[in-house]
Amino acid sequence: MTAYIIRRLLWSIPVLLLLTFAIFALMRAIPGGPFDFVGDKSLPKAVVQNLERRHHLDWPLGWQFSSYVLGDDITGVICNGLSFLPGCDAVQATYQLGVSQGLIRGDLGMALKLRGRTVNDLVKESFPISFQLGIISVAVAVLIGIPAGVLAALKQNTWLDYGSSFVAVLGLSIPNLVLGPLLIWIFPLTLGWFEVATWGAKPPFTLGLFPTTMGWKFWTHAILPAATLGTGFSAAIARLTRASLLQVIREDYIRTARAKGLKERTVVVVHALRNSLIPVITVLGPLLAAVVTGTFVVEQIFGIPGMGKHFVTSIGNRDYPIITGVSLIFAVLLVLANLVVDVVYAWLDPRISYK
Amino acid sequence: MAVVEQASKPSTVPQRRERTPLGDAIQQLLKNKLAVGSIIFITGLILSAILAGFLNGYFLQGFQAELDRTSQPAYAKQTLQDNNARPGEKSENPNLQGFVYWLGADNLGRDLWSRTLYGTRVSIAVALVAGTVSLIIGIAYGLISGYMGGRVDDLMMRVVDFLYGMPLLIVVILMQVYFKSLQRRGDESGLVNFILDIDKSMGGMFFIFVVLGALSWLSMARIARGQTLSIKQKEFVEAARATGVKPPRIIFRQILPNILGPCIVQETLQIPGYILTEAFLSFIGLGVNAPTPSWGIMINEAFQGLRSSPHALVPPAVALTLTVLAFNFLGDGLRDAFDPRLRRT
């Protein structure tokens, strides 16, 4: 199992590098640069050139990427050794500026527009916020979804079943884009409950991820976005749990368990639920991906200063390092999420083993 | 044998209607009230997308002449006196005397009924085009991968797995930014310019089709491959191969018709995703070009003015939710009807 996990992680490195390069190149292909201010604020040409030199934007694309991944010093060493390579003169001229330590040393580069800030700083501030939002939403989804699904399955074809199924379809179909503004209209604007915009926890974070205090103030900020994001997921989980539990409960081994006189609760919780959760786990992969995407949408709607918000702002600014860095982190998250799901899957279902 | 038996006693046994799998499935689908309702609703949406020119508020209330005079389409007609008009309010513009804003007006005094109506065009177009593109690419990819098997299959599925692990929304956003800024610069020549013109004439929809279609075929490819693998094992395919039928013919005549059903069902379930992605892109200003109304843009505009005129949120929000709901019900219904294994649960 450990070997499997390590191999999966090693495999993901070239994949992530490829994605990073694609985004790196795509960003730079987009017309308009980070230092094109329009109108009165436009900078003199010499200043722009200097700024671009400062951030290695005058280098050929390949060398820029090398600096981003390997760092300025290593790129300089390569160029000094192999100076016949095209574009090496530009590299040799400015590699001592020390713009980037390189991804290999965990440096995501300098922000272009926000002077003096590094992407690492931004990520350190904003990632925990997105993370908290995502985790709370998943918790909401699981804590509501699974009990609702179990209940609907055990009371199959009663009003409880129909009612919860109907609510689930509704919850599945109401888009975040609708639910978010709707909740904002109902609660903060009309009733004056809860808060909109910003987030209830500020850096520094405990362990770099969690809020230091989770008092009422934190929840007034978190509850609406988490409800917006979690509703769809909990509906999906409830439907799946119901369908899968209904299938499992007809299996022979459940009848055996009942026949030997076990309490109904033991039968359901110990025998049926564990197996019926396997299909639920399989959708957790796509679901976690959807959470990552969802934080994007929800952060826009609720004005939460998470990574998605930074990403969209940086696109307008053409702040290349922020965009590349945020994309890379999202991609790493997806890779890890899929891996975790596969591991949990194997743990729940002993028939599955990875070699 | 059977024919002879039937012929010998024709009058005693009541004639049974012949049953085909397709007929069965359609009958099953028609029994599902929600699915039928969804079909009716979606048909209505398609009709209103086509007939938006005749169903908008101005035409129906006899103000087409006023639109022609100011040469503004119904979805972009601004009447600044009437900004944030409540539902049912009359216009205060002397040229529009007696015009009623059925669903109110937005902050620029644009009729929300007309804008929501024209908004169906974008959503329905995205649903149909992105759905078709993803269906075609996905099935072709999955068919080839599944039929070839071996190394080719491995390689092709690796590519899909690779793309599957990517944050596609980010790629979608970046591609959309790229196309948008190409358009803003607008000094391209030749083919690029031609494509930009197409996009402009479609109000910015073309690139959304491209982006969504290009990135949404992944799960379709997986399903098509899985189906192909199972059909490939069946005796009738083996028989065809044994009698010397060429692979292309086997693929198109034996396998494709058999995998098409599940693939279409799956595609229907994916359509809400396309509609929502378009709405989100429009919401953050990377979707269709203003003033083309998209529900996403309308929600964004209403959201900006939520404090002063919350009623502007209602029409696009309801339209978007109902549309997604309808496609979900239809997809569920199709799946239940075409996949009898799932029918019981």
Side-chain angles (χ1 to χ4, degrees), chain B:
Chain B
M1 274 293 277
V3 178
V4 176
E5 267 176 21
Q6 248 182 23
S8 65
K9 38 179 179 176
S11 54
T12 51
V13 180
Q15 201 74 45
R16 270 183 68 181
R17 290 225 347 255
E18 202 175 309
R19 295 179 63 169
T20 61
L22 184 69
D24 260 10
I26 290 176
Q27 235 171 31
Q28 187 73 23
L29 186 67
L30 291 182
K31 264 192 239 159
N32 184 337
K33 288 199 190 84
L34 285 173
V36 173
S38 303
I39 293 174
I40 294 171
F41 182 77
I42 293 168
T43 315
L45 277 185
I46 295 174
L47 283 180
S48 48
I50 297 169
L51 300 175
F54 304 107
L55 293 175
N56 66 69
Y58 299 95
F59 187 88
L60 285 185
Q61 298 187 40
F63 288 93
Q64 184 63 37
E66 172 64 12
L67 287 181
D68 294 340
R69 190 182 67 79
T70 49
S71 68
Q72 282 167 312
Y75 56 81
K77 169 88 183 150
Q78 295 181 8
T79 314
L80 287 176
Q81 298 96 309
D82 299 334
N83 65 343
N84 296 335
R86 305 280 144 176
E89 224 166 57
K90 286 214 167 88
S91 172
E92 285 167 16
N93 186 326
N95 290 327
L96 285 172
Q97 211 142 42
F99 179 79
V100 182
Y101 290 101
W102 289 332
L103 300 178
D106 66 6
N107 54 347
L108 294 172
R110 293 178 294 193
D111 179 31
L112 284 172
W113 163 259
S114 308
R115 280 178 71 72
T116 310
L117 195 66
Y118 275 94
T120 41
R121 283 194 173 172
V122 177
S123 289
I124 288 293
V126 164
L128 295 183
V129 177
T132 314
V133 171
S134 127
L135 196 65
I136 291 172
I137 300 179
I139 286 185
Y141 197 95
L143 258 181
I144 295 172
S145 177
Y147 189 79
M148 302 290 260
R151 282 257 178 84
V152 180
D153 185 29
D154 270 357
L155 186 73
M156 288 177 85
M157 279 301 121
R158 263 287 147 71
V159 172
V160 170
D161 287 343
F162 162 65
L163 289 173
Y164 224 81
M166 296 294 98
L168 286 184
L169 184 69
I170 285 182
V171 181
V172 165
I173 289 177
L174 288 179
M175 283 171 74
Q176 218 24 44
V177 173
Y178 179 70
F179 290 135
K180 287 262 150 188
S181 47
L182 271 189
Q183 201 165 44
R184 209 166 301 133
R185 197 170 61 170
D187 57 352
E188 300 294 333
S189 56
L191 185 65
V192 180
N193 218 349
F194 177 66
I195 294 174
L196 288 178
D197 280 346
I198 293 181
D199 184 59
K200 205 177 280 176
S201 66
M202 292 171 74
M205 271 193 272
F206 180 74
F207 287 133
I208 294 181
F209 294 159
V210 172
V211 169
L212 285 181
L215 294 172
S216 58
W217 53 270
L218 297 174
S219 49
M220 187 49 56
R222 278 188 171 175
I223 286 164
R225 170 180 172 270
Q227 293 287 328
T228 308
L229 283 181
S230 73
I231 299 287
K232 200 169 77 165
Q233 311 286 324
K234 294 271 161 69
E235 289 83 357
F236 65 89
V237 177
E238 213 167 304
R241 206 177 298 137
T243 50
V245 180
K246 296 257 161 29
R249 203 178 148 83
I250 293 182
I251 288 181
F252 284 111
R253 300 297 296 270
Q254 317 278 335
I255 299 180
L256 184 61
N258 281 300
I259 69 167
L260 208 53
C263 288
I264 290 176
V265 171
Q266 181 61 27
E267 194 56 54
T268 315
L269 287 168
Q270 285 188 6
I271 282 181
Y274 307 144
I275 295 178
L276 292 178
T277 308
E278 183 280 320
F280 175 63
L281 285 176
S282 295
F283 183 81
I284 62 172
L286 290 172
V288 296
N289 304 330
T292 308
S294 141
W295 294 336
I297 290 184
M298 292 178 67
I299 289 176
N300 184 27
E301 287 166 351
F303 185 54
Q304 306 299 333
L306 202 55
R307 216 172 274 273
S308 57
S309 52
H311 68 273
L313 181 63
V314 176
V318 169
L320 190 62
T321 311
L322 285 183
T323 307
V324 171
L325 202 63
F327 276 106
N328 276 341
F329 279 139
L330 178 62
D332 281 352
L334 282 176
R335 189 186 49 201
D336 292 347
F338 280 89
D339 198 343
R341 277 166 303 163
L342 292 167
R343 202 175 288 166
R344 255 160 267 129
T345 51

Side-chain angles (χ1 to χ4, degrees), chain A residues 19 26 52 60 82 91 100 119 154 156 266 337 348:
Chain A
L19 173 84
L26 182 63
E52 284 180 347
L82 307 162
V91 174
S100 153
V119 179
L154 295 183
Q156 198 194 358
T266 321
L348 271 180

Side-chain angles (χ1 to χ4, degrees), chain A residues 324-344:
Chain A
T324 318
V326 171
S327 315
L328 182 63
I329 289 173
F330 274 132
V332 170
L333 280 181
L334 283 185
V335 167
L336 290 181
N338 284 329
L339 185 61
V340 168
V341 167
D342 284 350
V343 170
V344 172

